[in-house]
Amino acid sequence: MPPSIDRRKFLLVSALASVTAACGSERPRRPSAASAVPLSRTDSPAALPLHDDVPMIANGLSPETGGTLKLLNYAEYISPDVVKKFGKEHGVEVEITTFITQEEAIAKLRTAGASFDVWFPTPDVIGKAAVGKLLLPLNKTYLGNLGNAWPQLQSPFYDEGARYSVPYNAYTTGIGYRADKVKDVTGYDLLWNPAYKGKAYLIDDPREALALAMLKNGSLEINTEDPAKIAQAGTWLTELVDLMNIKLGIVAYQYVPEGQATVHHCWSGDMINAQSYLPKGVEADVLGYWYPGDTTGVVGTDSMAIPRTATKPVLAHMLLNHLLDNGVGQENFSYTGYQPALTAITPEKMVTDEFVTEQLKSAIVTPDVYARSQQIFQITPAAEALWNDSWAKFKAGQ
């Protein structure tokens, strides 16, 4: 797998420079929704509104040819070879405009005169974009490969009926570690084990880190808006300052293979990418990834959508369908390190195909893992401020 800039690393590195001290390293990929947009939950799906003045395209249209198919995506979050071959097949150039945050992406979509054919949003902003008439409803007759996606993402809770989006990649949040230095894998407790003092890292992200503290202590309320529970999570996290000399990081894919970190709170894709960062002569079986086998883990997904401004909407549908193809999805996975949410991508197949070692099989997400895990949802702006305040207090005490 070639080295690449993990899109979460790129996003977070770029965001850190502009974050205020009061908010800590606030992650921009989960911006608060406007009050008019319902906060969708797994047990309360959101059927997003359709608009008479934004109709879906008709059935049976031929794809547009010539000119440029324009993508709006995170940097390094799609294989150049995949899009180049698609463009060549359909007689178009493919142009990728990048963004750092979803707020920036939405601003680009709203820019007068700008047009994009495919956008890669996170689930939390799809509702806002639909309510704001920024998206084109999808015509499923062009999306025959949607059946390759995980069943629960063919009609996801954040976009019931997949009116505006289809799934792209999936990831979990767990603990990456050096298997040659960690003999007893004790889950979240690894980050509270003094044996790894000075070599332990948290994801530099308020929602992920505070959620970790909650889950480690038996609380599943990782979207709570209760000030006392949010403050308690901060207190639990503060234990790590003296006990572990805890550090914050967003480059687990580099620190773990190089040995700078022995244990690192991280995303699953980081450990898959870490195989490309091992020093010469070091085998990939020194890398490990722990994710809980119960309900105390965090999972997430990214999506694909077609903006209302698309000038090639038929071809845009075809690209979405192309990326949902099992073979294309696996090829794209080999570049990004983040797996497509396709049922054909199984832990066993990825080991057999040598995408990952047996030691890293747990970094491959499955529909069952997705179903039983927790998700970090949108919360109200007032609650988000409480989470950021608790995070800022923790960082101030480091």
Side-chain angles (χ1 to χ4, degrees):
M1 176 182 321
S4 63
I5 302 175
D6 163 4
R7 79 96 166 153
R8 289 179 175 77
K9 174 234 179 174
F10 179 86
L11 185 158
L12 288 167
V13 166
S14 302
L16 289 176
S18 61
V19 171
T20 64
C23 290
S25 59
E26 179 183 1
R27 176 171 59 185
R29 66 184 175 92
R30 289 198 183 91
S32 299
S35 59
V37 181
L39 300 180
S40 59
R41 299 291 186 259
T42 50
D43 59 354
S44 181
L48 302 177
L50 297 171
H51 309 285
D52 291 340
D53 56 341
V54 190
M56 71 173 63
I57 61 172
N59 296 340
L61 300 177
S62 298
E64 303 87 359
T65 58
T68 303
L69 182 72
K70 298 181 179 180
L71 279 53
L72 184 61
N73 197 2
Y74 292 103
E76 305 293 332
Y77 202 41
I78 191 169
S79 164
D81 289 340
V82 166
V83 295
K84 184 178 180 179
K85 284 187 285 188
F86 180 84
K88 184 176 181 180
E89 178 183 351
H90 293 282
V92 297
E93 297 294 324
V94 180
E95 175 184 284
I96 302 175
T97 297
T98 62
F99 57 85
I100 296 173
T101 72
Q102 290 291 343
E103 296 285 7
E104 178 187 350
I106 290 175
K108 290 180 183 292
L109 291 174
R110 288 176 171 159
T111 300
S115 66
F116 297 96
D117 298 297
V118 177
W119 172 35
F120 294 76
T122 46
D124 53 291
V125 299
I126 293 171
K128 293 197 323 184
V131 169
K133 298 185 179 182
L134 295 178
L135 298 180
L136 189 71
L138 298 178
N139 185 329
K140 306 301 194 312
T141 66
Y142 297 95
L143 300 173
N145 287 334
L146 182 57
N148 294 335
W150 296 345
Q152 57 266 65
L153 291 180
Q154 294 177 31
S155 178
F157 71 91
Y158 52 83
D159 180 15
E160 192 174 21
R163 288 180 170 180
Y164 292 99
S165 66
V166 295
Y168 187 46
N169 290 341
Y171 60 93
T172 57
T173 308
I175 308 295
Y177 61 90
R178 280 291 296 251
D180 55 338
K181 299 178 181 179
V182 175
K183 302 305 180 185
D184 187 15
V185 181
T186 55
Y188 294 129
D189 286 336
L190 284 170
L191 289 169
W192 272 260
N193 187 337
Y196 312 120
K197 185 173 184 176
K199 291 277 192 173
Y201 285 73
L202 287 173
I203 294 177
D204 193 351
D205 179 301
R207 293 294 304 277
E208 290 279 15
L210 290 165
L212 164 76
M214 290 178 172
L215 295 169
K216 187 262 182 183
N217 285 280
S219 172
L220 299 181
E221 297 185 77
I222 63 172
N223 298 292
T224 184
E225 303 202 0
D226 184 328
K229 293 176 180 178
I230 297 168
Q232 177 62 69
T235 300
W236 285 328
L237 214 55
T238 299
E239 297 169 0
L240 296 172
V241 176
D242 293 332
L243 180 68
M244 300 297 293
N245 186 24
I246 197 71
K247 296 177 173 61
L248 304 179
I250 50 174
V251 287
Y253 62 88
Q254 178 179 343
Y255 285 177
V256 176
E258 293 180 354
Q260 184 167 331
T262 301
V263 293
H264 202 310
H265 180 217
C266 66
W267 291 294
S268 54
D270 290 337
M271 284 299 97
I272 294 171
N273 280 329
Q275 297 173 101
S276 299
Y277 287 82
L278 287 162
K280 186 176 181 179
V282 178
E283 297 295 326
D285 59 7
V286 304
L287 299 173
Y289 180 75
W290 174 85
Y291 188 74
D294 56 18
T295 62
T296 60
V298 174
V299 70
T301 57
D302 294 318
S303 303
M304 300 181 282
I306 301 176
R308 181 184 183 179
T309 56
T311 59
K312 298 183 184 299
V314 181
L315 194 57
H317 277 78
M318 295 181 71
L319 178 61
L320 267 56
N321 195 55
H322 186 65
L323 291 168
L324 289 167
D325 175 84
N326 290 325
V328 174
Q330 185 162 317
E331 182 181 356
N332 198 42
F333 180 22
S334 72
Y335 179 81
T336 68
Y338 278 82
Q339 74 173 86
L342 303 174
T343 55
I345 306 294
T346 67
E348 295 74 22
K349 178 175 171 54
M350 293 301 96
V351 172
T352 300
D353 290 355
E354 299 184 344
F355 270 62
V356 298
T357 63
E358 182 71 29
Q359 192 82 18
L360 289 176
K361 187 164 70 172
S362 57
I364 303 300
V365 196
T366 66
D368 288 343
V369 167
Y370 181 86
R372 66 171 159 80
S373 298
Q374 307 300 310
Q375 297 203 34
I376 297 177
F377 298 128
Q378 298 168 233
I379 51 178
T380 64
E384 190 169 347
L386 292 172
W387 282 78
N388 287 331
D389 181 61
S390 185
W391 176 247
K393 289 177 180 177
F394 159 70
K395 293 188 75 172
Q398 277 193 290

